[in-house]
Structures are given as C-alpha cells and as structure tokens.
C-alpha cells in the first residue's frame, strides 16, 4: 500500500488527479470507477482544468460510479447522477453513454442491482477505482455489516451516514434511507485503487481501516488485501498513522 502525504486538500486533489490523468494518458479507453462526496470534488476540478488546457482526452473513457440513492431522479440535485453531471461530466468530453450509475428510479431493488452488475460485467473491471471513506469506514455505500457484500446491493443507510450526508440536503428528513451500491468484491476487482481522505474527522477511521483488523465492520479494511492501493490524504486525515 502506497501512502501519499499531501499538505492539504488542494494538494491531495492534485495528486489524485495526476494519477487519474496518468491512467488515461497510458490507456485512453480506461474504465474509471468514480465516487461522489466532498473528497473527490477538488480532483474533478483539477481534471477539468487538464481537459480545458488540452492535456487530457476523455473521448474513449468509460466511468462506472459507485452508488446512487434509491428514489432520486437524475434531475434531483441531490442525486449522484446530478452530482457527476454537474461536477465533472458536463465539463469534459466523456460520452454520456459511457457514464454509468445505478438507476435510482428503479424501485425493484433486485432488478436495479442485477442491471448494474450487468453493466459492470460488460465494461469492467475498473482500471482505476477512486474511493472516499465514510466516517464509519464505508466505501461506496457498503455500510458496516456481518459480511462483505459481493455484487451490487441495496443498502439501508445507517444513522451515522444519514447524519453525515444531511449537510447536502435542506432537511435531514429528505436524506434517502436506502442506496444502491457497487459491492465490495467489484471494488476489489479494480486493477488499481485510490483512497482519498481529508480532514481531522477521518483520522481515526483511516487508522482503523489501514492498520486495524480486516473486518466487514470496517468495510474499507478489506483494502489491506488489495495489491495496488494508493492512499492520498492531507496531514489531518493521516495524522494518527
Ligand atoms: C458518501 C458516499 C461515499 C463517500 C462518502 C464520504 O456516503 N456514498 O462514496 O466516500 O460519502 O464522503 P465525503 O467525501 O463527503 O466525506
């Protein structure tokens, strides 16, 4: 496991963007596993700049996002489809038909998960998977559990995750209670993984995930078994290592 110590969020974002840019430069038809949340926003801003300068071409790139809230439409500004469109896809030349997220409007949970697994098996595995980290150790929306989930599944969100994500909604009641997420096995099949963390509030869980026991109670701890993980964090997030 590589651990890159960045001085701050901007530096961490630039390091992550550089690795993604290198991936696309070396393999223009890369399949990227992308993430939402605050952590990757700076990375996406940097990638947009590289594109605008003519240094990066997304024409042949495919992206498969980690997760989506159940019940939110792509037009809902809290949906992850909306997030990706507005924070990345609309600013680069990726083809819309090459961008995938679970279908939040498909309320038949089994079908939504099977459909997404089909997309993943058609286009995957991911060449590079970008991950953030939930305060309880979740990756994607794979919450602490008795076992590691394999394929795409529908997850009831924990109170801590609902609380953490409430900051993006007008009212906590508006945070969806369930989400579709790519499974842990799919994440582990990615050829390379970048785990991006920032802020003091992540310091404890980063330590548990990277150096604690590997357990589904801390889903990110499974990353200890992956052979190509790069952790990029600012000083605060990595302060307990
Ligand atoms: C959400 C997302 C995760 C993300 C996590 C951390 O729960 N489903 O993919 O990693 O939030 O978000 P943040 O980067 O905002 O701390």
């Amino acid at each position: 496991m590589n651990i890159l110590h960045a001085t701050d969020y901007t530096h961490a974002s630039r390091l992550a963007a550089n690795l993604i840019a290198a991936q696309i430069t070396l393999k223009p038809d890369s399949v990227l596993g992308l993430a939402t949340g605050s952590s990757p926003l700076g990375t996406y801003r940097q990638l947009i700049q590289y594109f605008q300068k003519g240094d990066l071409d997304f024409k042949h790139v495919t992206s498969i996002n980690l997760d989506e809230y159940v019940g939110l439409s792509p037009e809902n500004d809290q949906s992850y489809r909306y997030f990706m469109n507005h924070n990345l896809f609309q600013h680069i030349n990726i083809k819309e038909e090459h961008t995938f997220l679970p279908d939040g409007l498909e309320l038949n949970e089994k079908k939504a998960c099977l459909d997404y697994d089909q997309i993943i098996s058609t286009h995957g595995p991911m060449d590079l998977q970008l991950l953030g980290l939930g305060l309880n150790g979740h990756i994607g929306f794979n919450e602490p559990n008795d076992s590691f989930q394999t394929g795409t599944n529908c997850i009831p969100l924990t109170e801590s995750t609902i609380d953490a994500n409430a900051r993006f909604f007008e009212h906590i009641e508006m945070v969806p209670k369930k989400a579709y997420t790519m499974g842990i096995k799919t994440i582990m099949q990615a050829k390379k993984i970048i785990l991006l963390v920032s802020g003091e509030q992540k310091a404890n869980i980063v330590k548990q995930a990277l150096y604690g026991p590997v357990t589904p109670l801390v889903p990110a701890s499974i990353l200890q078994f992956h052979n190509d993980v790069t952790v990029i964090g600012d000083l605060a997030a990595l302060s307990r290592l």
Side-chain angles (χ1 to χ4, degrees):
M1 187 175 289
N2 265 328
I3 302 184
L4 303 183
H5 293 253
T7 44
D8 57 19
Y9 178 81
T10 306
H11 185 205
S13 302
R14 289 169 67 179
L15 290 174
N18 288 348
L19 295 186
I20 296 170
Q23 172 66 41
I24 297 171
T25 304
L26 290 170
K27 185 169 184 275
D29 62 347
S30 288
V31 180
L32 303 180
L34 296 181
T36 52
S38 319
S39 305
L41 271 177
T43 304
Y44 295 156
R45 280 196 289 268
Q46 185 69 46
L47 288 174
I48 292 167
Q49 281 186 28
Y50 288 152
F51 168 72
Q52 288 171 342
K53 282 192 203 153
D55 287 337
L56 207 50
D57 185 359
F58 292 82
K59 190 167 57 222
H60 299 297
V61 168
T62 296
S63 78
I64 305 183
N65 259 76
L66 283 166
D67 44 17
E68 179 60 284
Y69 287 116
V70 176
L72 297 194
S73 73
E75 294 75 36
N76 186 311
D77 61 5
Q78 298 307 330
S79 73
Y80 284 169
R81 165 55 81 177
Y82 186 99
F83 175 104
M84 291 308 300
N85 285 348
H86 286 260
N87 291 302
L88 183 63
F89 298 154
Q90 283 173 2
H91 307 284
I92 58 175
N93 67 336
I94 195 166
K95 293 187 178 143
E96 196 189 341
E97 63 273 23
H98 288 179
T99 67
F100 299 97
L101 284 93
D103 181 359
L105 287 183
E106 175 56 75
L107 300 182
N108 177 335
E109 296 172 6
K110 201 169 168 199
K111 179 170 186 316
C113 295
L114 284 174
D115 287 351
Y116 208 53
D117 279 340
Q118 185 58 51
I119 289 169
I120 292 164
S121 67
T122 304
H123 299 277
M126 268 40 95
D127 290 300
L128 177 63
Q129 176 68 57
L130 180 62
L131 294 175
L133 180 65
L135 288 173
N136 59 7
H138 73 235
I139 44 178
F141 264 130
N142 292 284
E143 296 278 38
N145 207 327
D146 294 341
S147 59
F148 290 109
Q149 303 295 315
T150 55
T152 303
N153 55 101
C154 182
I155 297 277
L157 301 180
T158 61
E159 222 170 285
S160 110
T161 299
I162 291 174
D163 284 351
N165 289 355
R167 68 190 194 275
F168 299 113
F169 291 78
E170 257 174 55
H171 193 272
I172 192 163
E173 296 301 318
M174 293 166 87
V175 185
K177 306 285 180 289
K178 287 194 279 189
Y180 296 128
T181 184
M182 189 183 277
I184 295 282
K185 183 174 170 191
T186 309
I187 292 172
M188 289 295 282
Q189 283 169 337
K191 294 176 195 162
K192 291 174 193 290
I193 295 180
I194 296 174
L195 178 69
L196 187 57
V197 287
S198 77
E200 216 275 321
Q201 79 282 11
K202 296 277 170 77
N204 275 331
I205 194 67
V206 168
K207 184 176 179 195
Q208 274 185 63
L210 303 188
Y211 295 112
V214 174
T215 162
L217 296 174
V218 182
S221 63
I222 191 89
L223 298 175
Q224 294 178 38
F225 290 153
H226 194 281
N227 64 10
D228 193 345
V229 175
T230 301
V231 180
I232 302 177
D234 58 15
L235 292 175
L238 303 183
S239 59
R240 310 256 152 84
L241 300 190

